[in-house]
Amino acid sequence: MSKIKPGFDKERFFRHVRRRRPLRSITLLPSMVTLVNGMCGFAAMVFISQSQSEQMTFLRLPVVPLACYLIFVGMVADMMDGHLARISQSTSSFGGQLDSLCDAISFGAAPAFLMITMVQRQLADAGFAHDHQIQRFVWITALAYICCAIIRLARFNVENEDSGTKHHSFVGLPSPAAAGVVVSLLLLQQTKVPSWTWILYLLPFVTLSVGLLMVSRIRYAHVLNAYLRGRKPFYYLLTGLAILLAIVLFLQESLAICFCFFAFSNVIRAAVRKIWPHPAVVKQDEAVDSSEPVSLTH
């Protein structure tokens, strides 16, 4: 019987062997819901590419609003797949990687494609079709957004750990929220106020901004876990009912306001804290930076 060499890490070896084994089984229902997310993003791009030539309608909706709503359907599927996996106790690395790939389609490529398609059509109608500098800028913003979304998803996969803190906040704007800002503004312009063409001119700047927020280090709350789970004050219920009523009565306006508020309010809050830091935060930072160890127990 051969002896084990000195310095041989048995646990690391078998962990490496387990990681390299072929994938033989998956959890069907969460994976199917995740794929619905990716299919919604692809369908949105197909519809938006056909809207100008065929002027088709589907489910009694114009094609451009339908493409926007498909992105929101993908967001619902993105929220459901993780919960289904946790309920069935079937979370896996495969599910996480599949979720990120579908997110890259629905919340990375699809919003950028919707933005660049509609902005270019508006520029052509306004007589700027041959202005290469404007066209180049629109392309750069779309490419920057896609790159930031992919980097955001890859960084999350690398930095994500099995700890409780990840379930209450995110580092950087989540990709569904960034896509929601772009798509909700486009939906508002297409359905409620078509005369507001200035939204289309503003959209490349907004797309670039939310793209940079995705790769920033600004912390964003996990809305479901931070505000809806567990015991909360009574006014949380009243606030939630008011938001739900506003969404039912003024769907497009409420979506645009909610997504924009979520994306940019934390930027303002972080800037205010940087300029006027809270005394408690300053004392905590000084304690952490001191050479003496800080006790976390009482």
Side-chain angles (χ1 to χ4, degrees), residues 42-54:
F42 176 75
M45 290 188 285
V46 172
F47 281 127
I48 203 71
S49 64
Q50 297 177 347
S51 61
Q52 190 177 27
S53 58
E54 300 181 7

Side-chain angles (χ1 to χ4, degrees), residues 128-284:
F128 296 101
H130 301 289
D131 194 325
H132 299 294
Q133 293 183 350
I134 297 179
Q135 296 286 344
R136 190 180 298 115
F137 174 75
V138 175
W139 269 95
I140 290 174
T141 56
L143 293 175
Y145 177 87
I146 295 175
C147 293
C148 290
I150 295 173
I151 292 172
R152 168 72 175 82
L153 294 167
R155 188 183 70 182
F156 178 80
N157 289 343
V158 172
E159 295 181 348
N160 185 29
E161 297 178 356
D162 294 331
S163 61
T165 57
K166 69 174 183 178
H167 299 298
H168 292 85
S169 63
F170 299 100
V171 177
L173 181 65
S175 57
V181 173
V182 177
V183 175
S184 63
L185 290 176
L186 180 59
L187 179 64
L188 178 64
Q189 191 273 330
Q190 290 290 314
T191 56
K192 286 295 182 179
V193 280
S195 60
W196 284 12
T197 55
W198 59 267
I199 292 181
L200 295 176
Y201 295 115
L202 185 65
L203 207 55
F205 299 95
V206 175
T207 304
L208 181 61
S209 300
V210 295
L212 296 177
L213 288 177
M214 280 192 287
V215 295
S216 69
R217 284 292 174 179
I218 299 175
R219 191 166 291 277
Y220 287 85
H222 191 300
V223 176
L224 182 62
N225 294 340
Y227 299 110
L228 299 181
R229 286 187 175 179
R231 300 179 65 87
K232 302 297 180 183
F234 181 73
Y235 71 88
Y236 273 51
L237 176 61
L238 300 179
T239 304
L241 290 176
I243 295 175
L244 182 61
L245 181 62
I247 292 176
V248 172
L249 296 178
F250 311 100
L251 177 60
Q252 292 82 7
E253 297 89 338
S254 300
L255 288 175
I257 292 173
C258 290
F259 278 110
C260 291
F261 178 80
F262 180 77
F264 297 109
S265 62
N266 282 27
V267 179
I268 300 174
R269 188 180 297 114
V272 171
R273 288 179 179 177
K274 192 72 174 179
I275 299 174
W276 297 292
H278 194 274
V281 177
V282 174
K283 291 181 181 180
Q284 184 179 2

Side-chain angles (χ1 to χ4, degrees), residues 11-23:
E11 182 180 355
R12 182 180 178 182
F13 172 76
F14 284 106
R15 186 168 64 248
H16 176 73
V17 171
R18 288 195 298 269
R19 187 166 60 245
R20 297 295 297 273
R21 288 189 304 177
L23 183 67

Side-chain angles (χ1 to χ4, degrees), residues 3 19 25 30-31 38 64 71 74 101 121 127 129 131 168 187 209 219 254 256 297:
K3 296 182 179 180
R19 187 166 60 245
S25 63
S31 300
V64 177
I71 301 298
L101 291 174
R121 291 177 186 174
D131 194 325
H168 292 85
L187 179 64
S209 300
R219 191 166 291 277
S254 300
T297 59

